[in-house]
Amino acid sequence: MSEDGRWPMTITDFVAIAGLVSGVTGTTLGILNYVRDRARLKVTMQWDLESFGTTEYDNEKLWGVINVTNIGRRPMHFSHVAIKLPSGYDASYLLINGGIEGKTLTEGSPTATFPVSQDGMERYSKEWTRIVAQVTDSTGRVWESKRLGRNEKPTWAGGVIKGLDEVET
């Protein structure tokens, strides 16, 4: 200790403190980059959509759609786009046309959209809240959509489409 009561800082002390600060900073930035840069997919599912302006889809019936979006920073390849059914049915999954070969999404690439026919979905109407969309990425990780809420009941499960005059404001 010096005469004025302060601890004298040597060059070794200064280098040790600088090393401590830079080490903690580097570790923190590394963790933040890892969390930010990991691969992530967002899967959503919607029902009761009308088709118009195209001959590819029947304009006289309602359709569902599964959307897959890369919300991470790494390119992601996914495949096996399917509807996952609750247990107790003959099948566990309904595979979507065009979803087996898969697709690669990079950061900022447009959402991949997979139309779903609502034909025959009535047989799953009792457990419609447990039906989700699912995709599998190239590492084998399974990504699922959220379950639909009670107020999002599709017409094939007995729901009603609200017209513009019925929408609550």
Side-chain angles (χ1 to χ4, degrees), residues 65-118:
V65 69
I66 296 173
N67 293 312
V68 183
T69 307
N70 182 359
I71 59 172
R73 303 270 305 227
R74 303 273 183 217
M76 291 279 296
H77 182 80
F78 66 91
S79 62
H80 298 83
V81 179
I83 295 175
K84 182 179 176 183
L85 300 173
S87 60
Y89 292 101
D90 293 338
S92 300
Y93 300 93
L94 299 175
L95 193 61
I96 305 305
N97 288 337
I100 192 75
E101 71 268 4
K103 189 170 184 177
T104 300
L105 296 177
T106 59
E107 179 185 10
S109 60
T111 297
T113 302
F114 298 89
V116 179
S117 174
Q118 292 187 185

Side-chain angles (χ1 to χ4, degrees), residues 82-155:
I83 295 175
K84 182 179 176 183
L85 300 173
S87 60
Y89 292 101
D90 293 338
S92 300
Y93 300 93
L94 299 175
L95 193 61
I96 305 305
N97 288 337
I100 192 75
E101 71 268 4
K103 189 170 184 177
T104 300
L105 296 177
T106 59
E107 179 185 10
S109 60
T111 297
T113 302
F114 298 89
V116 179
S117 174
Q118 292 187 185
D119 294 341
M121 291 299 292
E122 298 83 14
R123 69 185 112 167
Y124 310 112
S125 63
K126 291 182 181 177
E127 304 214 44
W128 70 272
T129 57
R130 296 179 54 210
I131 294 175
V132 294
Q134 172 182 303
V135 301
T136 305
D137 69 19
S138 58
T139 65
R141 183 170 177 187
V142 174
W143 302 83
E144 291 184 352
S145 66
K146 292 181 180 178
R147 292 181 177 185
L148 296 176
R150 292 274 176 205
N151 60 343
E152 299 174 293
K153 189 173 190 177
T155 55

